[in-house]
Amino acid sequence: STQSTGKEHLDPLPQQMAASSPAERTVGVDGLAHDLNQHILNTRGMWLAGSVRLQVCHAAREAVGCTSCLEGTSLTDSSAHDCASFEDPATGSILAPIIHAIVRNQSILTESWYKHALSTLSELHTEPAHGVEDNHVVFNEVLLLTAMSFAMTTFYRGIGKPCPPLPDECLSPPPSPLGLKVTDISSRTRSDPTWNFSPYFLPEDVNPALEAKISPGAWSLLVGDGNKNEVSPLNAATWAIEDVAFFVSTFSPGVYLPMEEVISPWAPLRPMHCAGVSRAQIELAAESLAAAYDCTF
């Protein structure tokens, strides 16, 4: 189309390049959308079946127009939100309120909300069945799928382009969940409410036998610097092993700060990265840009 959107200056997107091997990444946001779709279809999640993982991603994109959210309906009301993306109504009634809260109302994501969300996940049917002690793992899987899917929608809205659609159907048969118990992942579960509502683990806690059960990229993340201390932003989300590995390897190049600075948020910006621009100015620019995108993040 030759019609002006008024946002041409925001649209330096290169053409998508086909990836002929894993080493040849697709390029630009169109490539990122393609990679995300492939990840959703092909990756083994922690506890959610492949079909449910895809439904979570659809629900995240549809949540932006939820009338109940716009009207301020209680985010813990399982009957108030659109569950049409879910084939099983019971699954939708549990997951939809969590997804809608993450997408539409981050300001209410308090510790009490988090604990309530975990309690509802005890009723979620998974195959194999997860235990109460695995609820925070399920939560982080839902969290990462929701955030990544909705992030694509938000970015494309910001540049005035239609977002590439998610797949309509999962693979047949879909990838089976890893079904890893907390003890399969870590020998120790840490907790520090100063930094996280969710329990977390550090590299020295990782069960060595886990290496044979997950991808090399995921293993490198779990035992590497991205999970090095209690204030690393992703350390609680690392329970969703393959999803957080995909996020770090594929999404982090698009973050407006280098990943090592995101991991160490107290460190000053390096002059060679943003000469003459303070962190406060960057945060202000990011906040203003998000507001212009009508993005609740």
Side-chain angles (χ1 to χ4, degrees), residues 25 32 148 221 226 234 243-263 273:
R25 304 295 301 183
L32 182 56
M148 289 190 293
L221 173 71
L234 288 174
D243 290 319
V244 79
F246 172 80
F247 175 84
V248 170
S249 65
T250 309
F251 269 63
S252 58
V255 176
Y256 67 92
L257 291 176
M259 183 51 66
E260 62 267 25
E261 293 184 8
V262 176
I263 292 171
H273 175 58

Side-chain angles (χ1 to χ4, degrees), residues 214-277:
I214 61 178
S215 68
W219 175 257
S220 296
L221 173 71
L222 297 190
V223 298
D225 287 344
N227 189 40
K228 63 184 177 181
N229 56 49
E230 66 274 6
V231 295
S232 300
L234 288 174
N235 67 355
T238 46
W239 294 107
I241 293 172
E242 298 294 350
D243 290 319
V244 79
F246 172 80
F247 175 84
V248 170
S249 65
T250 309
F251 269 63
S252 58
V255 176
Y256 67 92
L257 291 176
M259 183 51 66
E260 62 267 25
E261 293 184 8
V262 176
I263 292 171
S264 302
W266 58 86
L269 288 173
R270 296 169 296 171
M272 65 179 182
H273 175 58
C274 283
V277 181

Side-chain angles (χ1 to χ4, degrees), residues 111 114-115 118 132-140 143 182 185-186 188-193 195-202 205 227 229-230 232-240:
E111 185 174 9
Y114 170 73
K115 289 179 177 179
L118 289 194
V132 173
E133 68 278 6
D134 304 307
N135 281 349
H136 65 277
V137 181
V138 179
F139 176 88
N140 281 296
L143 169 66
V182 168
I185 302 170
S186 175
R188 177 183 178 184
T189 301
R190 300 172 185 253
S191 180
D192 186 346
W195 306 108
N196 287 296
F197 298 150
S198 175
Y200 64 95
F201 60 92
L202 297 179
D205 307 325
N227 189 40
N229 56 49
E230 66 274 6
S232 300
L234 288 174
N235 67 355
T238 46
W239 294 107

Side-chain angles (χ1 to χ4, degrees), residues 66 68-69 71-83 89 92-101 108 113 116-117 120:
C66 176
S68 296
C69 288
E71 293 175 349
T73 301
S74 170
L75 290 168
T76 58
D77 184 351
S78 61
S79 64
H81 304 283
D82 181 10
C83 302
S93 68
I94 295 169
L95 296 185
I98 298 174
I99 294 167
H100 284 238
I108 62 91
W113 174 87
H116 174 81
T120 64

